Amino acid sequence: MNRDTICVQGGYTPGNGEPRQIPIIQSTTFKYATSEDMGKLFDLEAEGYFYSRLQNPTCDLVAKKICELEGGTAAMLTSSGQAANFFALFNICEAGDHIVASSTIYGGTFNLISVTMKKMGIEATFVDPLCTEEELDAAFRPNTKVVFGETIANPALTVLDIEKFARAAHAHGVPLVVDNTFPTPVNCRPFEWGADIVTHSTTKYMDGHGAVLGGAIVDSGRFDWMAYAEKFPGLCTPDESYHGITYAERFGKEGAFITKATAQLMRDFGSMQSPMNAYMLNLGLESLHVRMQRHCENGMAVAKFLEAHPKVAYVNYCGLESSPYHALAQKYLPKGSCGVVSFGLAGGREAASTFMRELKLAAIETHVADARTCCLNPASSTHRQMTDEQLAAAGVPAELVRMSCGLESSEDLIADIAQALEKV
Ligand SMILES: *Cc1c(COP(=O)(O)O)cnc(C)c1O
């Protein structure tokens, strides 16, 4: 099926007389006739539900739709994008291991890897996404277990050369995990370019209405864990906490990763999405393909207007021919990238603050990627503790404004931006 059709009807096909919309199974627990029936679930011998901290039928229907959209073999929902990225990495790595990651990834994920996972004994090396194959190769160590990047980075808006990163990962016998939040599978399917596992903050375009936090992990089912069994003991040796099951043997390439993440990490961390939130996420998914098209059209129109404006020093948007990422965008994102544009005002930090104060349609928010246009000056909010030098080094100079173009009319958005720039 075409991705547009999967957005609307994927994941769930009701039988005769069953509800047309996915049922919300608002229940923590599930009933069984005998202890033996339930025992089989705990031994992972039978499929079924017993406790919504691990799995819930509503969440599984929505995960199945996202799995179909990405072209994967198995998927799960999590309570947030942060939880999805943590689970995806921690399902592979343990103390003593090492991660290679793109340096321009989302600040939350950067902290997760460089601060919190470091405390768990997992080290990381960050590489410029535009590095050469040699530089990328040099970042690997014998204990490297995974490579991580974002298709379009938030908020740096760099585009990942997925094939380059996949080649390097596979040459070292490790998987590539790609956070595909910004383009969504409507605009890019990283599995088609060699990625092994995809993650999402569904909080962004997938929900798309600023209503529910959530995350998702999808497995391509292609990474052969057993071929590198010595690197991945968590997947390739018996799990004593599950009666000695070896995930990669019992569930194969297609199912091992998500089964382990559910049976072990969801059991122990409980970062589960609520069935009600999964239901609302699914409402967002039903129109994702239509909304992405408008977000991209608005992003492009705003980027072009800003680029031609004398008070704007520069614009970052991979759809513009002036972008250093334009060629990569044409390859990986031929249908469009996303609605997020960032730009610098010639008048510096002061000008950015005046501009944002004068906007009438675009609200100041830390959020991105929902129906209503919003904007943020990282230097005076999320990156407030940094000096101007540190801001420049981090790729978020003091004058930078990030604007997430929503679903309004592009004429109204541009008129609003024009009147605010007048006042600068
Ligand atoms: C927002 C975001 C996250 C974190 O997601 P939450 O749902 O806020 O936890 C991770 N990666 C990217 C690319 C994001 O934009």
Side-chain angles (χ1 to χ4, degrees):
M1 273 195 298
N2 187 290
R3 272 170 268 184
D4 292 10
T5 309
I6 299 171
C7 281
V8 185
Q9 298 216 14
Y12 173 60
T13 312
N16 203 24
E18 288 179 357
R20 188 71 190 97
Q21 185 50 280
I22 62 169
I24 304 168
I25 309 295
Q26 193 68 54
S27 183
T28 57
T29 191
F30 301 83
K31 175 192 168 246
Y32 288 92
T34 69
S35 301
E36 288 70 35
D37 288 346
M38 185 174 269
K40 288 197 182 103
L41 303 177
F42 277 88
D43 286 348
L44 298 180
E45 273 171 14
E47 277 191 42
Y49 298 94
F50 52 92
Y51 193 48
S52 286
R53 166 156 44 80
L54 285 90
Q55 264 185 301
N56 172 280
T58 309
C59 295
D60 280 353
L61 291 177
V62 181
K64 190 156 178 279
K65 177 181 279 190
I66 296 173
C67 188
E68 289 171 13
L69 278 170
E70 288 287 5
T73 56
M76 68 197 286
L77 297 189
T78 58
S79 54
S80 68
Q82 286 298 107
N85 281 325
F86 174 59
F87 277 26
L89 294 170
F90 199 60
N91 207 32
I92 301 171
C93 298
E94 53 186 52
D97 288 347
H98 174 255
I99 297 170
V100 171
S102 161
S103 61
T104 56
I105 54 174
Y106 177 66
T109 314
F110 185 82
N111 277 333
L112 168 69
I113 295 174
S114 65
V115 179
T116 300
M117 292 186 76
K118 191 168 181 205
K119 290 183 192 158
M120 300 170 152
I122 298 165
E123 304 247 295
T125 301
F126 294 93
V127 294
D128 186 326
L130 289 178
C131 67
T132 64
E133 306 233 0
E134 292 69 35
E135 287 164 340
L136 185 50
D137 193 60
F140 284 80
R141 299 184 193 165
N143 58 339
T144 302
K145 298 296 168 70
V146 63
V147 179
F148 181 87
E150 290 173 11
T151 314
I152 302 174
N154 175 17
L157 301 179
T158 57
V159 178
L160 193 73
D161 188 342
I162 302 172
E163 282 192 319
K164 177 178 79 179
F165 276 74
R167 252 194 320 274
H170 297 158
H172 290 270
V174 304
L176 171 64
V177 177
V178 171
D179 180 332
N180 198 34
T181 296
F182 265 22
T184 82
V186 168
N187 283 340
C188 178
R189 293 214 279 194
F191 294 156
E192 290 173 359
W193 305 100
D196 301 287
I197 288 143
V198 157
T199 57
H200 283 280
S201 165
T202 62
T203 316
K204 311 294 165 50
Y205 290 115
M206 283 190 170
D207 163 45
H209 297 79
V212 285
L213 274 156
I217 310 173
V218 189
D219 183 9
S220 68
R222 285 201 304 250
F223 193 80
D224 190 354
W225 307 102
M226 281 314 248
Y228 307 96
E230 76 294 346
K231 278 190 199 286
F232 307 107
L235 283 139
C236 303
T237 58
D239 178 358
E240 294 314 330
S241 75
Y242 259 107
H243 316 285
I245 276 178
T246 299
Y247 295 100
E249 262 172 13
R250 174 76 80 83
F251 301 100
K253 287 193 290 188
E254 294 76 18
F257 190 81
I258 295 295
T259 306
K260 174 174 179 284
T262 301
Q264 231 178 38
L265 300 185
M266 207 50 106
R267 176 195 64 189
D268 297 350
F269 291 99
S271 314
M272 192 56 181
Q273 189 161 140
S274 78
M276 189 66 213
N277 280 11
Y279 175 83
M280 285 168 45
L281 167 59
N282 188 55
L283 289 181
L285 289 169
E286 288 182 2
S287 63
L288 179 66
H289 54 304
V290 183
R291 292 184 291 105
M292 281 315 284
Q293 197 177 341
R294 174 60 81 88
H295 280 297
C296 292
E297 283 166 14
N298 283 357
M300 194 65 177
V302 165
K304 279 188 173 154
F305 173 79
L306 289 167
E307 191 173 45
H309 200 285
K311 289 186 182 167
V312 176
Y314 57 86
V315 182
N316 302 319
Y317 190 69
C318 64
L320 293 176
E321 276 174 33
S322 58
S323 165
Y325 297 94
H326 188 64
L328 286 171
Q330 283 192 309
K331 173 174 174 180
Y332 294 110
L333 305 157
K335 294 204 287 180
S337 56
C338 64
V340 184
V341 180
S342 71
F343 56 99
L345 286 162
R349 186 194 286 257
E350 198 83 344
S353 145
T354 309
F355 169 73
M356 287 173 52
R357 191 178 60 231
E358 295 297 338
L359 286 168
K360 295 193 167 58
L361 277 178
I364 299 173
E365 290 173 33
T366 53
H367 193 50
V368 288
D370 85 62
R372 291 154 295 259
T373 296
C374 57
C375 64
L376 184 79
N377 174 225
S380 58
S381 54
T382 49
H383 294 61
R384 199 179 171 78
Q385 71 287 1
M386 291 186 177
T387 63
D388 281 10
E389 291 71 43
Q390 286 173 325
L391 287 167
V396 283
E399 72 284 358
L400 190 83
V401 176
R402 177 184 73 185
M403 182 166 276
S404 169
C405 299
L407 301 175
E408 303 91 340
S409 136
S410 62
E411 277 172 32
D412 289 344
L413 289 181
I414 287 170
D416 189 31
I417 293 168
Q419 66 80 25
L421 283 172
E422 279 292 299
K423 310 224 170 69
V424 169

